[in-house]
Amino acid sequence: ETGVTQTPRHLVMGMTNKKSLKCEQHLGHNAMYWYKQSAKKPLELMFVYSLEERVENNSVPSRFSPECPNSSHLFLHLHTLQPEDSALYLCASSQEVGGWGTGELFFGEGSRLTVL
Amino acid sequence: SQQGEEDPQALSIQEGENATMNCSYKTSINNLQWYRQNSGRGLVHLILIRSNEREKHSGRLRVTLDTSKKSSSLLITASRAADTASYFCATVPHYGQNFVFGPGTRLSVLP
């Protein structure tokens, strides 16, 4: 257990569906992240939140909509996805945003998304 | 542009042998970290080495950092089948910037 819990672990959705991924961290961290991991590609940073405020959005299509209601919870709302969006979506947290100092990332187990 | 590049992309060894993975990066960094990922799971932090450190140990792990060559290596000694996983280096370029991960090295340890 890393202290970061993601649900659901697996999700299959059609291109017209709307679904959400949930992440919860029990570590008291101030920063939370969404990463996308596709086959044969490096981890892609999607969004970064620091104390519930979005501080980074790496040119992610608008069909991905993040929400951070408090510093312990992070959501990724999905709508009108494409088959190429199929991937493992990883949530992570760290004490402070970025890795300066002693920062390390704590990852959840990921949500495997398949878009049909 | 991608900051970290691991080498080799895939490595297959026998149990008991040592495994060495390398990471190269492009810009100056504050620290470099290594992570491990079992298939289909999340990443787990292994070790962090700061830009003013040259070598660090943790159990069977040994990490070196050469800032003049912008490279790092991860050595796993006396490998076990349970070490089979993908290993990623992550760099932190500058203050306020976020981690940049390389594509990873897939290690297979054969019993």
Side-chain angles (χ1 to χ4, degrees):
Chain A
E1 283 294 330
T2 63
V4 179
T5 304
Q6 286 187 246
T7 55
R9 290 293 311 281
H10 300 274
L11 179 62
V12 179
M13 59 187 289
M15 293 169 60
T16 58
N17 290 160
K18 289 185 180 181
K19 297 285 184 183
S20 296
L21 305 181
K22 179 183 175 183
C23 176
E24 182 175 0
Q25 57 101 355
H26 312 275
L27 301 168
H29 288 167
N30 292 328
M32 296 188 76
Y33 310 74
W34 279 116
Y35 281 89
K36 176 183 178 182
Q37 187 176 37
S38 306
K40 299 182 180 178
K41 290 178 72 175
L43 243 61
E44 299 173 58
L45 179 62
M46 300 176 72
F47 302 103
V48 182
Y49 277 82
S50 175
L51 294 170
E52 304 146 44
E53 179 182 339
R54 191 189 312 179
V55 296
E56 190 160 337
N57 176 349
N58 279 352
S59 303
V60 179
S62 60
R63 56 186 185 269
F64 295 92
S65 174
E67 179 190 0
C68 188
N70 55 62
S71 58
S72 299
H73 292 86
L74 185 64
F75 294 88
L76 187 62
H77 302 300
L78 316 169
H79 62 97
T80 324
L81 295 191
Q82 305 297 312
E84 60 263 30
D85 296 322
S86 298
L88 182 67
Y89 289 85
L90 292 162
C91 173
S93 70
S94 63
Q95 186 60 57
E96 304 294 339
V97 71
W100 199 261
T102 61
E104 66 183 78
L105 288 170
F106 291 78
F107 284 86
E109 294 285 26
S111 294
R112 172 69 63 185
L113 173 66
T114 302
V115 181
L116 303 176
Chain B
S1 63
Q2 188 168 288
Q3 173 77 329
E5 290 266 0
E6 290 91 347
D7 166 53
Q9 291 186 351
L11 178 62
S12 186
I13 60 174
Q14 294 294 133
E15 210 166 19
E17 293 180 340
N18 296 341
T20 299
M21 289 159 270
N22 303 297
C23 170
S24 59
Y25 55 92
K26 295 182 173 65
T27 66
S28 60
I29 59 171
N30 171 265
N31 67 72
L32 184 146
Q33 304 180 26
W34 285 90
Y35 289 79
R36 165 196 166 124
Q37 183 183 33
N38 288 352
S39 181
R41 308 290 293 275
L43 279 72
V44 175
H45 181 264
L46 294 176
I47 195 164
L48 179 154
I49 186 165
R50 301 192 182 287
S51 59
N52 61 353
E53 297 176 308
R54 293 295 167 259
E55 188 171 314
K56 206 161 182 182
H57 296 257
S58 177
R60 293 184 296 113
L61 305 181
R62 172 178 169 252
V63 170
T64 62
L65 179 64
D66 187 334
T67 53
S68 66
K69 295 181 179 178
K70 292 186 171 57
S71 68
S72 173
S73 68
L74 171 67
L75 169 68
I76 303 175
T77 60
S79 63
R80 306 166 182 168
D83 294 328
T84 295
S86 291
Y87 292 82
F88 298 87
C89 69
T91 52
V92 182
H94 299 293
Y95 180 78
Q97 292 188 349
N98 285 295
F99 302 83
V100 180
F101 284 84
T105 292
R106 189 181 311 157
L107 173 66
S108 297
V109 181
L110 307 174

